[in-house]
Each structure stands twice: as C-alpha cells, then as structure tokens.
Amino acid sequence: MLVLTVAQQLVSDGPSWLELSRYLPFPLLVAPAIVALLLSLRLGGRWLGAAVATIALFATLAMGLVWNADPGDAAPAPDLRVMTYNVKALTAIERPGGFAALAAEVERHRPDLVVTQDASALMRGRDPAHPGPMFGLPEVRQVGQYVIASRWPLRDCATAQAQLGTEALTYARCVVELGGTSFELVDVHFESPRSGLVAARREGLDGIDLWASNHAGRLAQARALAAVLRASARPLVLGGDLNAPDSSAVIQSLLAVGLRDAFASGGRGYGYTYGHTLRPRFSFLRIDHLLVSDDVEVVRAFVGGKDASDHRPVIADLRLQRR
C-alpha cells in the first residue's frame, strides 16, 4: 500500500499497472490494512506505528482526501453556482420517473449554470431553436451529446474540435455573459475506461494491451484539448466527465495549462462521483470534474446525490475577476 501510494503521487503517467491502479475501489483495500493493524497489536510499538501510518497515508493521499477551509457565512457571495452532470439520459428514459429524478437532483442544488453529458435525450420533444426552460433555467442550448442550461445569456455556442492526428475530440463551447463580464464555458466528455477495465479484469495480463490503448486515447484527448485551451483569452470554466482521477496524466495535462480542479481547491472529503452502480455499490472514483482558470475563484465545491444517474454531479460556487 505504501508503494502504491508513493508511486501514484510521484508518477503521473506511469506503466500500465500503475494507471490501472488509479481505478481500484480504494475503500475495499483499507479492510486488509485494518486487519494488519489489529494483528500488529501483538508486535510492539514500531509495527503498530507503521500500520497506522500506512492506513493514514493511503486514506489521505492515495484515496484523494482534500480538506479546504470553510469560507463561512461572512465570505462575499459567489457570482454563480455551476454544476457538471453526466445524466445518462438514455438510461433515464428506460427508468420510470428517470427524467423527474434528474430534474429534482439538479433543482435541489439551485445552480445558475448546468453542463451535462450523455444528455441529448433530454431534448426529445423540444424544438432545438426554442427549447424552453430546463431545470428552471431559461437559456438552453444543445451541442451534440451536450446540453447546457443557464440563468445567464449564452452566445456563440457551437461544436468545437481538438485535433488528434486524423481524428478529433468534439466538445461544446459557449460564451456566458454575466453582469458586465463574460467567461468561456467548455463541456466535454472523454473516452470511457470501461472497455479497458473490463479487459484487464477478465483477461488479466492479456487484457493489459487493450487497457494501455484505452488510457493512451484518453490522454491524447486531454493533451489535444489542453493545447486548444492554452490560448483562451477569457476566464474559463470547464465541466465534464473526464473519466480520470486527479492523479492521472489525463487531468494533470489540463492542470499544466493553468487550470485548477474546483473540488481540490474548495471541497471537503473525497468527492467521489462514480462507482455506486457497480458491484461495490458505493462511489469510489472522482472522474467528473469542474476545472477553472486562475482568474476564477472557487468559494466552495461539493458533489450531489447518487440516485438519479450512474454519476454524481459536481457543484461549485465561483467568483469571477471583473475585467
């Protein structure tokens, strides 16, 4: 556990086994460590101290614990609340009350701006040119799988592409007008790790090559998007299902161009967004992210509920620097 913790912190893009380890259900790994701690009670103080230190390091560093200061009620009010949410709209259609559950989850947090992925089915029965309000928000735009709803005016919403050799990553891009200033909004969904993870689990070493290819594709998407976003002249807010945890090279590629993770900057706890519909039945990965540029202040960030989608939403209160 110590080797895994140190390797994940020091190496952002390592061998295939290390990248695969970032998707482990970490809480389950703590159980044998606790057994070892109990056994160490008979071995003396040094063994006991080593067992406690191992669990503490693993539960904080490897599992991604963050604990930012509470801004308190005296802090200046944020300019807006942003939510990113992979709504899995096609799955919601098949579930009785699925759309109502999604709407209730969004409206419970009262966001000013919602960026969704896997969401095109939300627009069924709506006129794309005049879709009407969604989640209680008047401005609604669809760009492919992405649906954006805002309290504030949206303009120049369009499909954008980041080139990946002969292919391209397609994402949504808008400009949001907010109280005399504006910022750029990006809604993106990276390649899913599911096929690679299934291959590695079922085929062992024989499935590692597929996992490595899967990871490489996601990393290429992140680097291509980072190259495009580097040239942004406005404050930037990016929301999406990035299918990668903070410590991975995928997220680090985006942070390297000056973006910050909102939950890492203003959240408390683990902020896990995925895993509750898998066999462990609890969330154990933080793969949904809100990223902001350095001229956007994160007041607080947190995750939402697990009942309406395979993914929990990420919500952040933000404050913009006036230009």
Side-chain angles (χ1 to χ4, degrees):
M1 291 179 72
L2 283 173
V3 168
L4 187 62
T5 300
V6 172
Q8 287 188 355
Q9 299 307 306
L10 296 182
V11 182
S12 63
D13 188 18
S16 296
W17 67 266
L18 181 58
E19 296 309 310
L20 189 60
S21 75
R22 302 186 199 277
Y23 293 82
L24 291 171
F26 290 121
L28 293 182
L29 300 184
V30 175
I34 293 175
V35 173
L37 172 62
L38 297 176
L39 293 174
S40 71
L41 294 175
R42 302 181 59 185
L43 298 178
R46 291 182 179 179
W47 284 103
L48 182 61
V52 170
T54 297
I55 294 174
L57 286 173
F58 191 79
T60 53
L61 295 179
M63 291 176 61
L65 179 68
V66 298
W67 202 261
N68 293 284
D70 187 346
D73 296 334
D79 293 324
L80 75 161
R81 172 168 286 185
V82 180
M83 171 188 281
T84 181
Y85 199 5
N86 185 333
V87 296
K88 295 292 183 184
L90 286 176
T91 302
I93 287 177
E94 300 172 355
R95 187 173 60 247
F99 277 9
L102 288 173
E105 176 63 29
V106 174
E107 292 167 10
R108 180 166 69 93
H109 302 291
R110 295 183 294 178
D112 300 298
L113 180 63
V114 181
V115 294
T116 63
Q117 306 85 44
D118 281 345
S120 57
L122 292 178
M123 298 292 285
R124 287 189 178 181
R126 293 174 179 255
D127 179 359
H130 305 283
M134 182 178 289
F135 307 131
L137 301 171
E139 295 274 331
V140 177
R141 302 287 188 279
Q142 179 185 8
V143 181
Q145 67 163 288
Y146 309 105
V147 175
I148 299 169
S150 173
R151 193 177 313 281
W152 310 104
L154 299 172
R155 64 177 174 86
D156 301 334
C157 291
T159 298
Q161 292 187 331
Q163 210 59 39
L164 303 166
T166 58
E167 300 180 0
L169 167 69
T170 300
Y171 59 98
R173 202 164 187 168
C174 287
V175 175
V176 184
E177 300 287 350
L178 173 60
T181 189
S182 63
F183 65 92
E184 191 166 352
L185 178 69
V186 170
D187 191 356
V188 65
H189 189 181
F190 285 166
E191 181 181 354
S192 171
R194 184 177 296 108
S195 61
L197 292 173
V198 170
R201 185 176 72 248
R202 293 181 178 176
E203 302 173 27
L205 293 176
D206 293 334
I208 290 296
D209 288 344
L210 179 56
W211 162 253
S213 174
N214 176 273
H215 168 69
R218 197 161 38 257
L219 180 57
Q221 289 179 324
R223 288 174 173 169
L225 181 61
V228 173
L229 299 183
R230 189 190 301 270
S232 178
R234 291 187 177 91
L236 177 66
V237 176
L238 180 153
D241 176 4
L242 305 185
N243 276 313
D246 269 21
S247 61
S248 72
V250 173
I251 304 302
Q252 295 302 313
S253 296
L254 294 167
L255 301 185
V257 298
L259 298 178
R260 292 174 295 121
D261 182 87
F263 189 85
S265 299
R268 284 186 164 195
Y270 294 105
Y272 295 148
T273 63
Y274 187 76
H276 49 274
T277 58
L278 303 180
R279 188 172 299 172
R281 297 300 175 187
F282 56 80
S283 301
F284 61 88
L285 290 171
R286 183 152 66 88
I287 60 175
D288 300 87
H289 299 266
L290 278 169
L291 306 180
V292 299
S293 56
D294 60 4
D295 44 8
V296 178
E297 179 186 353
V298 179
V299 178
R300 63 176 59 83
F302 56 97
V303 299
K306 63 182 177 61
D307 295 331
S309 172
D310 291 357
H311 294 249
R312 295 174 184 262
V314 182
I315 305 102
D317 292 334
L318 306 177
R319 191 178 297 120
L320 303 178
Q321 292 183 8
R322 293 295 187 266
R323 294 195 175 188

